[in-house]
Every structure is written in structure tokens, then in C-alpha cells.
RNA sequence: UGACACCAAUUGUC
DNA sequence: GACAATTGGTGTCA
């Protein structure tokens, strides 16, 4: 049979979330990676950050892990963050053309993170999905991110 | 003796509470009015409402009764609802300036009730107090509100 | 002006 | 512990 869908064994799914307490500027990220029944969870914390930066960082960490292991696979990254999905799939094209100025002609924020994410994105077969908050894996990635806020790095 | 406190005889105290069963959307409000030993209790029920609407309605009913009888008195309204106290003493100023949008840029809910309450509030000498759940009169107003839920209007 | 995410607080009900 | 009503704030984009 011909099909545009690839073999499920060849798909890696990443569910990524960020979290941040604005007052304390204490952030965390969480990811859930799934391939053919195998599941990997990971989390991390960052000080002096924002919720948007954590969402970007979660995606970057997921893609970095995948790149080290399964760079030939098709990847589906799911996140609830419209900021990340729209940014990496649409806005980044304009930003590159307009010297990283946004529609108000102000500098695009978090440029360094966007560039990291873009390089990973272009080096592999990555598909971006806006997820539903009720999805089990997204809920899990969110709680990993939230828990990570309090975890001290060592 | 000089004192900033007015003659107790000139103070009307109102204790107001709301209550609502979300499933049945059946709400009730209860008020206890006290002036120089005289005490008035009143309650009412409303269908298809919310707990916040009932808290507002309780305050509105109390002030309306007072206005009809003792509009020259100093009034102290006590409620356990931070929603009501903060709204009428602080947030409503911003709402008027921002065309009734809240800090999330969403329309302020229960606008009609807030306007009713604001008009009563401005037409008399009203002071707002956040009450402690254990105060006897507040406990009474709460039970009036809860009882009223089941009462059929006639 | 709109959208999305994140955080926090209070009340009420079960 | 879970849901509904509501509010305040910050980070970001178009």
C-alpha cells in the first residue's frame, strides 16, 4: 500500500512543556519522549527565566536528545504553546528576512533560543503539533516542568 | 471627648453572604442588618446563577433596604467575599477606566450587578470590611443564604 | 485590538 | 481532592 504516513516504528513523539513562577523567576521544563512503546521522561530547572523561554527550552532539549539517538526518524513535537508552534513554523521565516525584527519593528525576544531550535528543526524531519491540554503525555510533561521548578541543580 | 468614631446609634451594620450549588445552579443570598440593637434578617433565592453573583446580590439587597430607611447613616458592610470587597473598593476604578476589561483583557463579568452596587455605594456613606468566617452575624447570613437556595419563590 | 501560555489569590459547592 | 466562579500579574506574538 502507498501511504503518506510513515511506519509507526519510525516515528518519535515528543511532548514538551514549560513552567515558570513570574515572581520568583524560577522556571522548569518537562518532556516525554515516546517511540514504539519505549518512553523517556526528563526535566530540568532554570533560574531567572520566563514561561516562554521554558517552553522553547523544553522543545530544544527534546530535539537534542532525539538527535543523538534517532536522527533518521520522523519526529512529532506536541506542545500547548502557540508561541512555540507559530514561531517555529511561521514567524521565524519573517524574522530571518527582517533582521529579527517583529511586526512592531522591535527586536524579536529570545533570539538565541529560536536559533538553537531552528537549527535542530532543520537538521531533522520535525513536525509541530499544537496539543490539547487533556492529552495524557502533555499533562505529564506539564507536571514534570512544574515539579522541576523547585529542583536544585547539582 | 473627641473621637473619629461616630455615635454608634448612627451606624448600620450589614452582614451579607451568598451561596450557590453549581450543579443545580440554585443560588441564595442572606443578610443580617443591625442598628442600635434592632436586627433585621432577610434572604432570597435565584435560579441559574453563580456564587459570585449571589455574593454581589446579597450586598445590593442590603444596601437597597438601608437606602429606603436610613440613608443618612454610616454603613458598614461585612462580607467574607474578597471578590466583593476588592471589586467595589479597588478594581471597579480600573474597570471604569478600561471599558470594563479586567487585567486579563477579558470583559468584566457581572457588570450589571457591579454597576448597581456601585451606584448604591456612591449614594451613601458605605464602608467595606472583609469579615472573619467565625463572626456570629456572618455565620447567620451564610446559613440564611444556604437555606434560601431551596426556597421556592412565590 | 486580538490570541496563546505561565503564575498567583479568594469564594462557593461536592 | 476536584470542579466552578472570578480576580490580579508577566511573557510573547500578529
Amino acid at each position: 500500500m502507498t501511504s503518506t504516513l510513515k511506519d509507526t516504528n519510525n516515528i518519535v513523539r515528543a511532548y514538551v512543556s514549560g513552567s515558570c513562577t513570574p515572581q520568583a523567576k524560577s522556571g522548569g521544563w518537562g518532556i516525554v519522549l515516546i517511540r514504539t512503546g519505549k518512553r523517556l521522561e526528563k526535566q530540568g530547572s532554570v533560574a531567572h527565566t520566563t514561561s516562554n523561554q521554558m517552553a522553547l527550552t523544553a522543545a530544544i532539549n527534546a530535539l537534542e536528545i532525539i538527535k543523538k539517538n534517532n536522527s533518521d526518524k520522523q519526529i512529532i513535537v506536541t506542545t500547548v504553546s502557540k508561541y512555540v508552534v507559530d514561531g517555529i513554523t511561521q514567524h521565524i521565516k519573517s524574522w530571518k528576512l527582517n533582521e529579527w525584527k517583529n511586526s512592531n519593528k522591535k527586536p524579536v525576544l529570545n533570539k538565541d533560543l529560536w536559533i538553537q531550535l531552528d537549527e535542530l528543526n532543520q537538521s531533522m524531519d520535525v513536525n509541530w503539533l499544537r496539543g490539547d491540554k487533556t492529552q495524557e503525555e502533555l499533562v505529564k510533561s506539564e507536571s514534570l516542568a512544574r515539579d522541576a521548578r523547585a529542583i536544585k541543580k547539582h
Side-chain angles (χ1 to χ4, degrees), chain A:
Chain A
M1 272 185 64
T2 58
S3 165
T4 55
L5 289 176
K6 297 188 182 178
D7 180 357
T8 303
N9 287 335
N10 224 32
I11 296 183
V12 185
R13 288 170 208 276
Y15 300 86
V16 306
S17 293
S19 168
C20 179
T21 315
Q23 291 76 28
K25 297 200 176 186
S26 165
W29 53 267
I31 61 185
V32 175
L33 299 180
I34 296 179
R35 182 170 65 94
T36 55
K38 276 171 270 181
R39 180 172 175 132
L40 171 67
E41 298 179 358
K42 204 166 178 192
Q43 63 191 161
S45 69
V46 179
H48 305 297
T49 187
T50 68
S51 60
N52 288 339
Q53 285 171 12
M54 283 301 91
L56 285 167
T57 302
I60 290 168
N61 274 278
L63 291 184
E64 279 179 344
I65 293 172
I66 293 170
K67 192 179 177 73
K68 283 185 199 150
N69 300 286
N70 313 282
S71 55
D72 57 328
K73 303 292 190 295
Q74 185 183 29
I75 300 152
I76 301 178
V77 181
T78 303
T79 175
V80 88
S81 168
K82 191 177 165 72
Y83 175 65
V84 170
V85 174
D86 288 356
I88 197 63
T89 61
Q90 301 172 43
H91 305 329
I92 201 165
K93 298 168 193 163
S94 327
W95 296 339
K96 289 178 183 173
L97 294 176
N98 302 323
E99 292 177 322
W100 292 87
K101 296 293 190 329
N102 65 22
S103 68
N104 297 317
K105 295 160 192 162
K106 303 274 189 176
V108 171
L109 300 184
N110 305 320
K111 175 181 168 183
D112 51 341
L113 293 172
W114 283 116
I115 289 177
Q116 281 183 60
L117 188 60
D118 186 49
E119 285 175 0
L120 289 161
N121 185 44
Q122 294 195 346
S123 70
M124 298 182 286
D125 178 13
V126 185
N127 303 269
W128 295 87
L129 269 189
R130 182 92 196 291
D132 170 6
K133 274 190 181 183
T134 62
Q135 276 180 269
E136 183 255 323
E137 297 90 351
L138 271 184
V139 171
K140 180 61 187 181
S141 73
E142 275 178 41
S143 75
L144 285 169
R146 203 167 314 170
D147 290 352
R149 286 192 321 227
I151 297 173
K152 283 107 181 93
K153 275 190 285 195
H154 51 267

